[in-house]
Amino acid sequence: MATLNPAVESATASHHGRKGVWSWMTTTDHKRIGLLYGVSSLLFFLVGGVEALLIRLQLAAADGTVLSADAYNQMFTMHATTMVFLVIMPAAAAFTNYLLPILLGARDVAFPRLNALSYWIYIFGGLFLTISFFVGGAPDGGWFGYAPLSTQVTEIVRMDYWALGVQILGLASLLSAINFITTVFTMRAPGMTLMRMPVFAWMATVVAFLLLFSLPIIAVGLFEVFLDRNLGTLFFDAAAGGTPLLWQHLFWLFGHPEVYILILPAMGIVSEVLPVFSRKPLFGRSFVIFSGIAIGFMGFGVWAHHMFVAGLGPVAEATFALTTMLIAVPTGVKIFNWIGTVWGGSVRLATPMLFSLGFIAMFVIGGLSGVTHSIVPSDTQQHDTYYIVAHFHYVLFGGAVFGLFGGIYYWWPKITGKLLNEGLGKLHFWLMLIGFNLTFAPMHILGLRGMPRRTYRYPKGLGFEFWNFIATVGSLTIAVSILIFLINAWRTKARGRVAGNDPWDGRTLEWSISSPPPEHNFDVVPVVHAEDDFWHRKYREDEEGRPVPIPGGGDPLVAGPDDPPIHLPSPSFYPILAAFGMFLTVLGLVYVPLGLVLAGVGVVTVVWGLFGWSMEPLTREEH
Amino acid sequence: MAVLDHTEHAGHPDLGNVRKIAMWAFLGSECLFFGTLISTFLLYHNTTGDGPTAKEIFSIPFTSVSSFVLLMSSLTMVLAHHAAGRKDWRQMRVWLLATAGLGLVFLSGQAYEFTTFVHEGLTVTTSPFGSAFFVLTSFHGGHVAIGVLMLLATTFMSFGGKLHEGQGMNVELVGLYWHFVDIVWIVIFTVVYLLQV
């Protein structure tokens, strides 16, 4: 590509040939950090998947012998902790990191080094949780860590690993939330008003605010658990007058917004995919955005529906029953908008579209079973049974994971420059859809028949055997579908079809630049004139509203000699150093009092990292 | 709003405003952090078990004085910010150090108060009241300590030849944080001390 601007050439040249492990460890490029998030969350997805398969193998038949009760407790705790904190949240962070600046027409996030710090804290937090398997057993008190179960047994440090691991993972998310919020409010290209932002960018913003306001609550709760365990405080000690119910409130005040933190990015992805593959703008676009914002607010008002059996009293129960029914309204609005988008469009059933349609169907089932939980008497019956397990897997797997895979197939050509194989992609989709329903639909029946959660085996003759066996067959089918995805990814690397800039006839700014994008994203900072700006660059409408291509409309903008110079953030070693210091600190805190020495070394390392950070000159500041 | 105007600095928003928005977002998060700690305290303010109660242990005159000291540090912080706006770096350093000094006086007061309480039989392990009181006030004290370090670092860095526009912004950011920590103390002093005796 011919560039007339020496600035573009020098920006390209100076960042060319940055290769090797060191360049990845010190990178501050939002796209590389996005890739790191993506690959890491995929690896943890395999770990969490193996944990799930072990659980299913144990439950395949009555009186299972695959896992001991102790190992089973570790598996269900770590399966959930892994999938929530190490897979879905970072996978959403991967998309947000990679795409948010490009969707806004920016060259990076507001704080590139802070972005790197978030990633490194996340990966060290993931390692920290995982090494617990090799030093006396992984956390075994459930991902919700209910007190006093999580605070009483202090000779075994498993729940210390959990409390501290989740704590620093929360810190990583908090920092990236601040970063994304600042990026959205200050880095948008000229003309990119808030309401012109792509819906995915909007959902990422809502998620950032949810993280910002929910993480400090769980942070306090986790500190209280840690101090109860290690310093002898009495927050959750019922014998001394403490109330374990406090933990439930603090956990679910975070935990329910967390559910929307997990699902909103997938909703954003689907809102990008459906218009492109229906060749129609998103139906009721501002309604979708405002529904997302409404979900963000209402998400803080429904937490106690997780606690209907805790004895909150009729007033609280009635209130939370009503708010739970209400929050289904904005969610329902979105579903109708998505259906309205597809309705009457020229639909292409490519793999990203299949996953998005699968998302809608599965999420409707999960959403409806969710509304049944707002009926307090019915919830009392369902509580702690497999009916709940079925419900949240329909939302978080059928919803979030299907949406995320749709995003993977959709943006893979942009990120790698090559298209994933469509045949294998469709096989992946159908196998995963069938396997998913085989696994989780029977759990509704098992739950209504009274099969309790978190019980490592069940006796013969209770009517549980058949559906459990089907569920295990389904989980193996899911495993095969994931294997097909991995083969597809591997095959595409060597033999994939070259994608070009705009393989799907896209509507948003990322499709206006090369695949993969250059490090500085845009040779020329785009000026935005409309929603779906790139589409309007490519098409005008005839009298009957049909799109007519504008010749050369999708060509990339070329920098002229007068365009301002491009500043890119310099690589930095300090984020990974500071994150490593935090790793040492929490590792030391598990083994108080002796570990305090290690924790001290960790704190010194953190201070060293932050001091070097603040003294480091920034390219960005030189203008 | 000036922050959202990109026509002049396409792709290069004013770095100061960027940092200020980040600081406001962080402080928003901190509101929930202290809100949760204060809620925990309110839940346990009467759960004193066999240990001393709030009425028996708090000395309102003493804590009033240390609260006054912390409030005055907000005044010196404003003066430091004002001096930075005039680019009067000498005055700015004086007021920054004064603010840090008042912060240290407050922290010494807290250390004295904690020692006294421990001698009178209230520790983190005495009762849920003790746990909630010490954890809340320690987290606040930790925030003050970090603020003091930030003030000292800003003063130190102003000697390093970094006397450009960014200096005033650093003072403003530290100021935002410092005023926030002060406001949290006003809430704590009211809810934890004054309402309990």
Side-chain angles (χ1 to χ4, degrees):
Chain A
M1 187 175 59
T3 40
L4 301 168
N5 186 334
V8 173
E9 275 168 26
S10 74
T12 315
S14 72
H15 292 84
H16 202 69
R18 273 198 193 148
K19 280 179 188 150
V21 178
W22 183 252
S23 77
W24 285 92
M25 283 166 67
T26 59
T27 186
T28 49
D29 175 6
H30 71 98
K31 294 181 292 300
R32 282 189 161 205
I33 293 169
L35 279 173
L36 286 170
Y37 265 113
V39 171
S40 314
S41 58
L42 200 59
L43 288 175
F44 279 117
F45 184 60
L46 300 180
V47 174
V50 169
E51 286 157 1
L53 286 178
L54 286 171
I55 292 171
R56 279 319 319 162
L57 289 175
Q58 164 72 11
L59 296 177
D63 300 317
T65 51
V66 177
L67 298 172
S68 65
D70 180 39
Y72 186 84
N73 289 347
Q74 295 177 44
M75 283 307 146
F76 77 68
T77 302
M78 285 307 285
H79 167 68
T81 307
T82 304
M83 288 303 191
V84 169
F85 293 105
L86 304 178
V87 179
I88 301 184
M89 283 171 82
F95 283 112
T96 313
N97 256 300
Y98 200 101
L99 291 162
L100 184 67
I102 305 182
L103 290 173
L104 301 177
R107 291 203 167 113
D108 211 312
V109 292
F111 303 104
R113 291 180 298 174
L114 193 67
N115 204 14
L117 179 66
S118 294
Y119 170 74
W120 292 113
I121 297 178
Y122 150 66
I123 199 70
F124 280 121
L127 283 177
F128 176 73
L129 277 171
T130 309
I131 56 170
S132 64
F133 272 112
F134 308 103
V135 286
D140 54 358
W143 85 283
F144 38 82
Y146 267 19
L149 193 61
S150 58
T151 54
Q152 274 178 340
V153 185
T154 52
E155 310 84 65
I156 301 169
V157 295
R158 292 172 178 179
M159 288 314 276
D160 289 311
Y161 272 97
W162 177 80
L164 292 165
V166 174
Q167 187 75 279
I168 63 168
L169 290 170
L171 178 65
S173 294
L174 180 71
L175 295 177
S176 56
I178 292 172
N179 208 344
F180 292 151
I181 287 170
T182 315
T183 304
V184 164
F185 283 119
T186 62
M187 305 283 283
R188 282 170 288 125
M192 180 64 83
T193 60
L194 283 175
M195 285 315 286
R196 283 182 191 160
M197 286 204 308
V199 177
F200 177 75
W202 258 111
M203 294 306 117
T205 311
V206 176
V207 167
F209 275 103
L210 283 170
L211 288 166
L212 192 70
F213 294 128
S214 66
L215 286 168
I217 303 172
I218 191 70
V220 170
L222 290 167
F223 276 128
E224 289 173 353
V225 164
F226 181 77
L227 293 173
D228 264 17
R229 293 178 58 84
N230 293 288
L231 201 64
T233 56
L234 303 164
F235 289 108
F236 306 118
D237 188 336
T243 157
L245 198 60
L246 172 67
W247 168 260
Q248 294 191 24
H249 279 296
L250 296 184
F251 183 79
W252 289 115
L253 250 167
F254 151 79
H256 204 83
E258 171 72 16
V259 173
Y260 297 106
I261 290 164
L262 298 172
I263 195 68
L264 283 172
M267 288 181 166
I269 291 170
V270 168
S271 303
E272 297 298 325
V273 171
L274 290 173
V276 168
F277 292 91
S278 311
R279 286 177 71 87
K280 273 176 68 187
L282 185 64
F283 181 79
R285 191 173 183 280
S286 46
F287 254 90
V288 177
I289 293 171
F290 281 111
S291 300
I293 297 171
I295 289 174
F297 277 103
M298 295 164 83
F300 280 96
V302 296
W303 78 90
H305 67 212
H306 295 270
M307 304 158 58
F308 278 154
V309 297
L312 300 174
V315 176
E317 284 172 2
T319 310
F320 283 98
L322 287 173
T323 56
T324 305
M325 289 177 205
L326 269 179
I327 203 168
V329 174
T331 316
V333 166
K334 288 191 165 203
I335 290 181
F336 283 114
N337 278 308
W338 290 325
I339 295 171
T341 306
V342 181
W343 191 269
S346 28
V347 174
R348 274 178 295 165
L349 287 177
T351 313
M353 185 65 168
L354 287 176
F355 273 101
S356 299
L357 294 173
F359 165 92
I360 299 177
M362 295 304 103
F363 186 77
V364 166
I365 298 174
L368 289 177
S369 65
V371 181
T372 66
H373 299 148
S374 68
I375 319 290
V376 180
S378 152
D379 183 73
T380 310
Q381 174 70 22
Q382 295 151 5
H383 191 89
D384 259 347
T385 69
Y386 263 83
Y387 187 87
I388 305 284
V389 181
H391 155 68
F392 68 71
H393 279 93
Y394 266 87
V395 180
L396 293 181
F397 192 147
V401 174
F402 271 69
L404 290 166
F405 267 114
I408 290 174
Y409 279 92
Y410 181 56
W411 280 303
W412 190 279
K414 177 51 60 188
I415 293 167
T416 66
K418 289 186 176 174
L419 284 155
L420 284 167
N421 182 287
E422 273 292 302
L424 286 174
K426 284 174 181 162
L427 186 62
H428 169 199
F429 168 74
W430 286 111
L431 270 180
M432 198 158 103
L433 187 75
I434 293 166
F436 168 76
N437 280 294
L438 280 180
T439 311
F440 296 107
M443 291 186 187
H444 291 112
I445 302 166
L446 287 168
L448 292 176
R449 286 187 184 172
M451 180 168 168
R453 297 169 69 179
R454 310 180 195 111
T455 306
Y456 85 113
R457 61 182 176 187
Y458 52 90
K460 284 193 183 75
L462 293 177
F464 297 158
E465 287 103 322
F466 175 72
W467 290 115
N468 267 304
F469 178 73
I470 297 294
T472 302
V473 171
S475 67
L476 292 168
T477 315
I478 297 173
V480 173
S481 78
I482 300 299
L483 199 64
I484 289 171
F485 167 72
L486 294 176
I487 292 169
N488 196 354
W490 183 258
R491 214 176 144 272
T492 303
K493 196 171 164 4
R495 288 191 279 165
R497 197 154 57 81
V498 175
N501 290 3
D502 185 17
W504 310 119
D505 202 4
R507 313 177 72 88
T508 36
L509 286 174
E510 75 272 31
W511 305 109
S512 71
I513 55 177
S514 64
S515 311
E519 179 154 352
H520 55 278
N521 295 351
F522 298 96
D523 286 355
V524 185
V525 174
V527 178
V528 177
H529 301 285
E531 293 163 4
D532 292 342
D533 191 65
F534 185 54
W535 176 268
H536 294 293
R537 254 195 257 165
K538 293 189 293 185
Y539 294 96
R540 60 179 177 79
E541 285 184 0
D542 65 12
E543 293 84 39
E544 284 159 41
R546 283 177 305 218
V548 181
I550 300 170
D555 291 348
L557 303 174
V558 178
D562 297 332
D563 278 302
I566 294 169
H567 297 294
L568 286 175
S570 316
S572 175
F573 164 67
Y574 294 110
I576 192 172
L577 183 69
F580 181 65
M582 283 178 210
F583 174 75
L584 294 181
T585 309
V586 288
L587 193 61
L589 285 176
V590 174
Y591 301 101
V592 281
L594 267 181
L596 284 177
V597 179
L598 185 62
V601 174
V603 170
V604 170
T605 315
V606 174
V607 172
W608 175 21
L610 296 183
F611 185 74
W613 178 316
S614 61
M615 290 299 159
E616 195 175 41
L618 262 181
T619 314
R620 193 178 277 276
E621 275 180 320
E622 279 167 8
H623 64 280
Chain B
M1 213 168 120
V3 181
L4 304 179
D5 181 15
H6 285 225
T7 43
E8 285 174 65
H9 301 277
H12 297 280
D14 177 7
L15 197 73
N17 278 329
V18 176
R19 288 188 187 168
K20 225 154 64 178
I21 287 186
M23 181 55 91
W24 278 110
F26 172 69
L27 295 180
S29 184
E30 289 273 88
C31 286
L32 272 289
F33 186 83
F34 280 106
T36 310
L37 284 167
I38 292 170
S39 306
T40 304
F41 176 82
L42 284 176
L43 181 66
Y44 292 139
H45 72 282
N46 278 331
T47 319
T48 48
D50 300 330
T53 64
K55 232 186 190 73
E56 290 164 10
I57 205 154
F58 288 155
S59 157
I60 294 300
F62 178 83
T63 316
S64 300
V65 171
S66 68
S67 304
F68 181 74
V69 167
L70 195 63
L71 281 183
M72 283 306 105
S73 76
S74 263
L75 177 66
T76 54
M77 188 71 234
V78 169
L79 290 170
H81 182 219
H82 195 63
R86 292 195 316 266
K87 298 198 182 1
D88 184 348
W89 308 119
R90 208 184 60 85
Q91 282 249 340
M92 179 193 79
R93 284 182 208 125
V94 169
W95 290 122
L96 282 178
L97 288 175
T99 313
L102 290 171
L104 284 174
V105 171
F106 173 82
L107 284 177
S108 325
Q110 196 170 39
Y112 170 79
E113 193 183 42
F114 280 12
T115 326
T116 317
F117 290 173
V118 170
H119 280 300
E120 290 175 19
L122 184 72
T123 68
V124 281
T125 57
T126 311
S127 61
F129 165 73
S131 304
F133 170 79
F134 279 111
V135 170
L136 165 61
T137 46
S138 302
F139 268 111
H140 181 267
H143 277 72
V144 174
I146 288 170
V148 169
L149 288 178
M150 281 159 65
L151 288 164
L152 295 177
T154 312
T155 317
F156 170 75
M157 277 158 75
S158 79
F159 285 110
K162 283 199 157 192
L163 297 178
H164 52 74
E165 293 299 316
Q167 190 59 52
M169 177 46 67
N170 284 344
V171 175
E172 188 169 351
L173 287 175
V174 178
L176 275 177
Y177 174 85
W178 190 262
H179 295 315
F180 171 80
V181 173
D182 267 15
I183 292 167
V184 171
W185 182 255
I186 296 174
V187 178
I188 293 177
F189 183 56
T190 313
V191 172
V192 174
Y193 289 83
L194 294 180
L195 289 183
Q196 306 304 329
V197 294

